[in-house]
Amino acid sequence: MMQHLPECQLILNKLKTELSKNLFYHSIHHTLDVYNCAESIAKEEGVTDSNLKLLLVAAIYHDVGYLIKNKGHEEFSCTIARQYLPEFHYTKGEIDLICKIIMATKIPQNPKSHLEEIICDADLNYLGRTDFFYIEEKLYLEMLAFGYIKNREEWNKMQIEFMQKHRYFTSTAIRNNYSQKEKNLAIVQAKIQY
């Protein structure tokens, strides 16, 4: 679907060329991963047509705020969506819905609709996948680069706390990701030296 959405290509080009090089995790690769996960979960959840389109546009725009600022990037993502989407004939109501979906990704996640649940599960899908350690290493390097953490032990403790609090919302993500997330969590817990 994305190749038919010029409003998404515009943002992907910005992410490709304008993001900080220290955003090892919050890169165009993460955005495309969230897009693909959202599309996959939505199809299994029976979401189609205009709702699917709005969800997928939100997935592409959800982290574009990193072009402006790391902290509070979701609000900036909405500002950018409100700036560009009218050019592509989105109504105020559609843009408001896209922004609600984007804001649902803010941690701690608290989705209020089915589309918001899907974006939340897509955004943190990697927690329950076999490529978890490859992806979380990118997040570790990013957090280190920005001074949010000091070392690996601090990171592992933060990961454990985050993963224990996290939950999937859609039946699709619970079915497909929950047990692998528990395995990944157990491996991280084993790394902590008590």
Side-chain angles (χ1 to χ4, degrees), residues 40-41 43-46 121 128 168-181:
S40 174
I41 294 168
K43 285 182 176 170
E44 281 195 56
E45 293 280 314
D121 287 352
Y168 288 113
F169 299 98
T170 63
S171 56
T172 299
I174 292 165
R175 183 174 62 251
N176 295 340
N177 301 95
Y178 178 79
S179 72
Q180 185 63 48
K181 186 186 100 167

Side-chain angles (χ1 to χ4, degrees), residues 57-118:
V57 169
I60 292 295
Y61 278 75
H62 87 284
D63 276 347
V64 73
Y66 273 97
L67 291 171
I68 300 169
K69 194 174 180 195
N70 291 10
K71 298 269 185 180
H73 67 273
E74 298 90 354
E75 286 86 355
F76 289 107
S77 296
C78 289
T79 300
I80 292 168
R82 291 185 194 285
Q83 177 186 346
Y84 287 111
L85 289 176
E87 295 173 26
F88 297 95
H89 310 293
Y90 283 79
T91 66
K92 182 183 181 307
E94 288 170 330
I95 295 169
D96 288 346
L97 183 60
I98 287 167
C99 288
K100 282 182 181 173
I101 296 168
I102 291 169
M103 291 306 298
T105 65
K106 192 173 182 125
I107 305 295
Q109 295 176 331
N110 187 21
K112 304 276 193 248
S113 72
H114 192 213
L115 296 179
E116 292 175 22
E117 289 177 346
I118 293 169

Side-chain angles (χ1 to χ4, degrees), residues 145-189:
F146 286 103
Y148 299 142
I149 52 168
K150 294 183 189 70
N151 55 44
R152 183 79 63 180
E153 184 178 6
E154 191 180 328
W155 167 245
N156 286 333
K157 287 178 179 172
M158 183 188 288
Q159 279 282 86
I160 290 167
E161 185 181 347
F162 183 78
M163 291 176 80
Q164 286 173 331
K165 287 181 180 173
H166 169 265
R167 71 183 193 91
Y168 288 113
F169 299 98
T170 63
S171 56
T172 299
I174 292 165
R175 183 174 62 251
N176 295 340
N177 301 95
Y178 178 79
S179 72
Q180 185 63 48
K181 186 186 100 167
E182 292 301 299
K183 290 175 192 170
N184 294 339
L185 174 58
I187 294 168
V188 179
Q189 287 171 321

